[in-house]
Amino acid sequence: MNRSGSRVRAAVRQGLNRVLRPAGSRIVTGQEWRGLTAGKELLVDQLVDLFEALVLPDLEPRQGRRELLHRLIGTEIPEAMYLLDSLRQSLAGPGDVCEMGVAQGATSALIANEIATTDRTLWLYDSFEGLSAPTTEDVLLDDVLGLGSMDSYAGSMAVGAELVQGRLRELDFPPARTRIVKGFIEPDLPAERLPDQVAFAYLDFDLYEPILTGLRLLHPRCRPGSVLMVDDFGFLSAGVEAAVREFLAEHGDLYSPWEAPPHAGHFCVLRRGPSISSSRGD
Ligand SMILES: C[S@@+](CC[C@H](N)C(=O)[O-])C[C@H]1O[C@@H](n2cnc3c(N)ncnc32)[C@H](O)[C@@H]1O
């Protein structure tokens, strides 16, 4: 592009940015974008280094992990690091790995990369039509999408299953070890749509009813050392914490719950039976 062409493009961009500014948006050039993301990637790498060295020293580095951490959407790095370490610990025993609430498959890809060299099956559950309707337990705590009310979240975050399928293809994760279970989660899910045994599950449905349903479905398939990790505990909707507390009132004697401290994010980890090992330093 000649100099007058780039001047025209810069003038158009500035004009558009004046219009977009009140909405809090702006157009950036490819070069600006690369500068912005390079800064973010450096911070992610530094945080991962810190966690690997000081907080979770038993978590061995793994090929491909950093790139997948860079590509997370909405999952903070400390939470992802605890996810990886909880998954590692759970794999000391038998069982498959589940994710409930998959969306584009950013965390599915992170998990798949960790179990690629095992014989575990990855079970992925999602409506692929977005969040279900909230119930009265789902009081809005953090309006992350700026929708104004909990009811407006019904149907949000809808993406097609082809996105997660594409993410798993990029990793060469074997389709024979992948089960994608489409549809709103129901308590009467047939047994063939659930693993016989669960080592690890990441529950990220955001709402009271599906989280409680997911925990109850997985519970009979857990063995000592299995881990159920629930995202958005005390965040977005109060319903997630309510669901965990209700589940613990039913089965709390069988699980050791661990609520993430403020530096780590908004999640809780339920480990069944006596812990296999702990490298958290807490
Ligand atoms: C926050 S997103 C998951 C994000 C993903 N774990 C990640 O971090 O990349 C929540 C997902 O839960 C799904 N979902 C919500 N309620 C559901 C329900 N009742 N049954 C099945 N899927 C549901 C939505 O479709 C959405 O894709």
Side-chain angles (χ1 to χ4, degrees):
M1 161 109 17
N2 62 28
R3 205 174 293 164
S4 69
S6 18
R7 270 203 299 270
V8 170
R9 285 210 316 195
V12 170
R13 199 170 58 248
Q14 277 164 15
L16 287 171
N17 280 341
R18 266 196 293 279
V19 176
L20 290 170
R21 196 174 301 136
S25 304
R26 85 185 167 98
I27 294 170
V28 293
T29 63
Q31 198 181 8
E32 283 171 324
W33 178 249
R34 280 188 292 281
L36 288 169
T37 52
K40 185 194 153 215
E41 285 180 8
L42 180 63
L43 274 178
V44 167
D45 286 340
Q46 288 170 336
L47 204 46
V48 172
D49 287 343
L50 266 176
F51 265 84
E52 284 178 354
L54 300 177
V55 187
L56 304 169
D58 294 338
L59 186 63
E60 301 277 331
R62 187 170 188 91
Q63 196 174 359
R65 186 189 287 159
R66 296 260 167 154
E67 195 195 324
L68 294 167
L69 288 166
H70 292 158
R71 293 176 68 188
L72 289 176
I73 303 167
T75 309
E76 291 172 19
I77 297 302
E79 173 168 351
M81 297 304 287
Y82 282 110
L83 185 164
L84 293 169
D85 195 57
S86 302
L87 172 61
R88 173 192 71 75
Q89 291 186 46
S90 77
L91 295 181
D96 285 341
V97 173
C98 306
E99 182 175 30
M100 295 192 155
V102 167
Q104 307 83 349
T107 39
S108 317
L110 185 72
I111 293 168
N113 185 57
E114 301 293 314
I115 60 168
T117 51
T118 70
D119 60 356
R120 319 283 174 145
T121 293
L122 179 60
W123 295 75
L124 301 173
Y125 298 83
D126 203 295
S127 65
F128 297 104
E129 294 176 43
L131 267 60
S132 48
T135 56
T136 49
E137 290 80 1
D138 291 303
V139 177
L140 186 62
L141 299 176
D142 301 273
D143 191 1
V144 287
L145 299 183
L147 301 181
S149 75
M150 201 67 243
D151 284 342
S152 314
Y153 277 77
S156 67
M157 307 185 203
V159 292
E162 63 284 356
L163 292 188
V164 65
Q165 284 163 332
R167 294 297 308 268
L168 297 181
R169 242 191 333 270
E170 279 174 30
L171 293 174
D172 277 334
F173 191 81
R177 288 203 286 122
T178 309
R179 301 271 187 286
I180 296 187
V181 183
K182 292 185 196 175
F184 289 100
I185 195 91
E186 294 293 345
D188 57 357
L189 197 66
E192 66 271 17
R193 307 190 85 197
L194 287 156
D196 293 336
Q197 198 167 43
V198 175
F200 176 85
Y202 183 58
L203 293 96
D204 192 10
F205 281 143
D206 293 352
L207 297 171
Y208 168 79
E209 212 162 47
I211 289 290
L212 186 55
T213 301
L215 289 169
R216 285 176 173 160
L217 285 169
L218 296 171
H219 164 67
R221 292 160 172 85
C222 290
R223 39 92 188 146
S226 296
V227 172
L228 304 174
M229 179 169 174
V230 184
D231 190 23
D232 299 307
F233 184 86
F235 186 70
L236 203 169
S237 160
V240 173
E241 181 170 342
V244 171
R245 300 223 179 274
E246 198 164 325
F247 176 74
L248 288 175
E250 294 165 2
H251 304 292
D253 50 331
L254 294 173
Y255 292 86
S256 340
W258 184 73
E259 293 174 25
H263 76 266
H266 307 278
F267 61 92
C268 89
V269 175
L270 310 181
R271 189 179 311 280
R272 178 140 179 185
S275 337
I276 292 166
S277 70
S278 174
S279 63
R280 273 193 202 116
D282 57 347

